[in-house]
Amino acid sequence: MGARRGEQVLHKLKEQPMEIWHRGKRVDDITTAPGFANGAASLAELYDVQWAEPDTMLFDSPTSGDKVGRSFMIPATKEELISVGHMMQRWAGHTFGMMGRAPDYLNRALSAYAGGADFLARQDPRFGQNARRYHEHIREHDLCLTHTLIHPQANRGVGAARQPDPFLAARIKEENDAGIIIKGARMLATLPISDEIMVFPSTLLRSAEEDAPYAYAFSIPNSTPGLKFLCRETVDYGRNKYDHPLGARFEEMDAVVVFDDVFVPWENIFLYRDVEACNQAYADTGAVIHMAHQVVCKNIAKTEFLLGLVSLMIDAIGIEKFQHIHEKTAEIWVNLQTMKAFRRVAEVDAEPNEYD
């Protein structure tokens, strides 16, 4: 199918609805529901930007030859890595950096998992194959992901296994020849207005024996039976974009994810009951680095927006002559230039990892 357009994104969200709750009520259609619709529309806009600027935003799929999102690229050269940075900077600029978990964030994470699939294959060759196959699947269909990576914040003095309810945090309940059953809760799914969820391994696992049932990584569709999203209260108050220019456009939403005996097939699993591998996965696959690459692009866009806003405020009320205003404005500018330098050196001085 290749890269999608905004209309296709919204259509799929309608076609495969998830179980999502807000203010105690189930949301039937997140593309039209108050508190969700504007964020979904802004998400769709990002996909239209891909086709408005295809040379920057897209590349030729290595398998189908179709145009696909550049954020799915597994870069083999500095030039390819820089091109991914330009693509992410353009998307971040479209939302002024206000959608921190735009689709490219997790596209980069999963691309790193696929690029570092040999790490996942050390436990089981199937897991490496699963990562490569799933990466190709979301790339060719241009799917949007949310994610969850931490346990619920309960008694922090003990691990997940020693909570009063061992199923407070999502854990493996059982397994069979077809897959596993997950029961419990996870946090924090930003952008639940998406197609699928990437369940990352927790990096807070300590005991190889006690924490093994909480050690896993997998991806499943948001419409999977038993999967529920319990959302915080929206910051889109239904006001117009003039009075609430950010909340009325860029509400990504956050949610606690509840797994009510959710079935996950083996084909969707990347890590399983290996505490050490789960703790190492972010670093060893390079996922954390590529996620940080997206974050710095997003923060550059956000800081540019804030610097522009501050400059307009200074001009509007005529306070440019005051020294403390110079100091505070310069601090924003210095932070902006520092992040630009971080991005540049990260790209220009990049080197192949052990999997290239």
Side-chain angles (χ1 to χ4, degrees):
M1 186 170 98
R4 294 189 291 177
R5 300 177 189 271
E7 183 180 358
Q8 294 170 294
V9 173
L10 297 176
H11 177 75
K12 190 170 190 302
L13 291 175
K14 286 176 172 287
E15 188 181 53
Q16 295 183 328
M18 68 192 77
E19 184 172 347
I20 186 166
W21 294 74
H22 180 236
R23 293 175 175 167
K25 296 181 180 179
R26 183 167 179 174
V27 178
D28 294 325
D29 183 353
I30 56 178
T31 68
T32 59
F36 294 85
N38 290 331
S42 293
L43 174 67
E45 287 179 12
L46 293 177
Y47 287 84
D48 285 332
V49 170
Q50 293 188 127
W51 285 105
E53 303 176 31
D55 290 344
T56 299
M57 310 303 292
L58 306 175
F59 77 110
D60 295 331
S61 165
T63 54
S64 68
D66 294 332
K67 292 293 184 181
V68 294
R70 193 173 293 272
S71 59
F72 292 110
M73 178 180 282
I74 302 175
T77 66
K78 292 181 182 181
E79 290 73 22
E80 289 182 344
L81 179 64
I82 291 169
S83 76
V84 172
H86 290 332
M87 175 268 156
M88 294 192 296
Q89 197 67 65
R90 178 64 186 88
W91 253 9
H94 187 77
T95 66
F96 312 110
M98 297 299 166
M99 294 187 76
R101 293 298 178 260
D104 51 344
Y105 179 74
L106 289 171
N107 294 352
R108 297 313 300 144
L110 192 56
S111 297
Y113 268 69
D118 288 347
F119 169 81
L120 306 176
R122 291 173 188 171
Q123 181 187 10
D124 189 322
R126 293 179 301 170
F127 299 160
Q129 295 168 4
N130 290 349
R132 293 188 182 98
R133 183 176 58 251
Y134 186 70
H135 174 255
E136 180 178 344
H137 170 67
I138 65 166
R139 182 189 68 214
E140 299 304 312
H141 293 83
D142 204 11
L143 299 181
C144 178
L145 302 181
T146 183
H147 75 308
T148 175
L149 71 167
I150 59 175
H151 299 313
Q153 300 296 295
N155 182 354
R156 301 188 187 188
V158 296
R162 299 193 180 188
Q163 298 293 330
D165 182 353
F167 288 100
L168 173 66
R171 62 172 284 166
I172 300 162
K173 181 179 179 181
E174 59 184 85
E175 67 174 79
N176 54 48
D177 291 341
I180 63 176
I181 304 295
I182 300 291
K183 182 177 179 63
R186 272 290 201 98
M187 300 172 68
L188 184 62
T190 305
L191 197 69
I193 47 174
S194 53
D195 302 306
E196 306 207 358
I197 183 169
M198 175 85 178
V199 181
F200 281 111
S202 169
T203 57
L204 303 176
L205 304 172
R206 296 293 177 263
S207 168
E209 182 177 351
E210 283 189 349
D211 291 335
Y214 303 92
Y216 46 74
F218 59 84
S219 288
I220 53 175
N222 288 351
S223 57
T224 300
L227 186 63
K228 302 177 176 68
F229 295 87
L230 310 182
C231 297
R232 61 160 168 78
E233 191 167 359
T234 183
V235 295
D236 178 356
Y237 305 122
R239 301 288 297 278
N240 62 66
K241 294 178 181 179
Y242 181 85
D243 291 330
H244 290 258
L246 301 182
R249 285 184 173 94
F250 306 126
E251 167 60 291
E252 296 175 282
M253 188 53 75
D254 299 289
V256 175
V257 186
V258 176
F259 298 83
D260 189 3
D261 288 348
V262 172
F263 171 72
V264 183
W266 289 114
E267 292 78 12
N268 290 48
I269 296 173
F270 314 129
L271 292 164
Y272 185 65
R273 298 184 69 94
D274 187 329
V275 170
E276 183 178 3
C278 285
N279 287 334
Q280 295 174 345
Y282 288 101
D284 282 22
T285 62
V288 68
I289 297 171
H290 289 278
M291 294 159 77
H293 190 196
Q294 189 270 356
V295 169
V296 76
C297 291
K298 176 262 295 182
N299 286 344
I300 288 170
K302 183 178 289 187
T303 309
E304 286 177 335
F305 170 78
L306 293 174
L307 181 59
L309 179 61
V310 166
S311 299
L312 289 172
M313 292 170 64
I314 291 171
D315 291 342
I317 59 178
I319 57 173
E320 67 276 0
K321 64 183 179 180
F322 296 108
Q323 187 173 4
H324 71 286
I325 297 299
H326 296 173
E327 179 184 6
K328 291 174 180 177
T329 305
E331 185 176 355
I332 299 173
W333 182 85
V334 168
N335 276 278
L336 172 60
Q337 297 304 319
T338 299
M339 286 188 288
K340 287 183 175 180
F342 287 159
R343 180 195 155 187
R344 182 183 185 280
V345 74
E347 293 172 350
V348 174
D349 289 352
E351 296 180 355
N353 62 21
E354 62 181 289
Y355 305 113
D356 287 344

